[in-house]
Amino acid sequence: MSKQPVQSSGELAYDTLMAALRKGIYAPGERLREEEVGERLGLSRTPVREALRRLEAHGIVEHRPRIGAVVRTLSHTEIVEFFEMRVVLERTAAQMAAQHGAQAEFDTLSALNEAIERERDDPVRGSMINQDFHRHLYLAGRNRFLLDAARALNNSLILIGPTTYTDPRRVAIVVDEHNAIINGLNARDPELAGQAAEAHLQNSLRYRLEQQAS
């Protein structure tokens, strides 16, 4: 029986800090002090420093003179570019999932979508389930290169800003749009599923830009 590889302290710190960023514990533009991060997450300073360097290499954290490590903030243009790439990848994922995905995977997407609706009073939890929904859509596409591209891009989700799920109306719209994607998958209709995925992300971009402007 093979042993599971043991995580180094730096890898553990990286994973822990990434989880905190995904939960919104640290927001874009917020300073990351090694000592404070270590105390809050129960980590020592050396692995935290290593994790911050790795996050900087991945474009999630930037080093500012006289300030230190800060969670990067995306500009208006970068947000638009990010969603443009998500449209390309996710439309393709939905199309491929309609062709290659298993019915059990579509059922999982339905269950995750129902969970998002149930958690409408907990925006952070709902947002995390939403990330699971999109990850499972890519998995159903059965293409490892597409999945790798999505993983690299989705690190930028951390930098988009606070979840929009604090608006209950937004949650209802997202659930309906997810259902449209699932309907296309269940029908085994790549065009229908792809169009629904694209419409969903275009609406997400529109809502995000409206929030940014208000």
Side-chain angles (χ1 to χ4, degrees), residues 72-81 212:
R72 202 161 75 82
T73 301
L74 296 185
S75 67
H76 174 97
T77 300
E78 287 175 316
I79 290 173
V80 172
E81 291 171 349
Q212 194 180 47

Side-chain angles (χ1 to χ4, degrees), residues 103-185:
Q103 186 60 50
E105 291 175 301
F106 303 161
D107 293 343
T108 296
L109 289 169
S110 292
L112 287 169
N113 202 34
E114 290 168 5
I116 292 171
E117 189 168 27
R118 285 196 304 271
E119 298 291 346
R120 58 186 174 275
D121 294 328
D122 187 343
V124 172
R125 175 66 180 151
S127 177
M128 292 179 70
I129 298 171
N130 176 68
Q131 291 180 38
D132 287 338
F133 176 93
H134 289 275
R135 182 171 61 84
H136 279 275
L137 178 61
Y138 281 105
L139 288 170
R142 295 283 194 283
N143 188 296
R144 69 191 68 184
F145 296 102
L146 179 63
L147 190 59
D148 286 344
R151 282 174 180 150
L153 184 68
N154 283 341
N155 276 341
S156 296
L157 274 172
I158 294 167
L159 309 176
I160 290 292
T163 177
T164 59
Y165 283 21
T166 51
D167 181 353
R169 295 169 299 177
R170 177 66 189 145
V171 176
I173 290 169
V174 167
V175 168
D176 285 345
E177 290 173 350
H178 284 174
N179 278 329
I181 298 170
I182 294 166
N183 288 341
L185 298 176

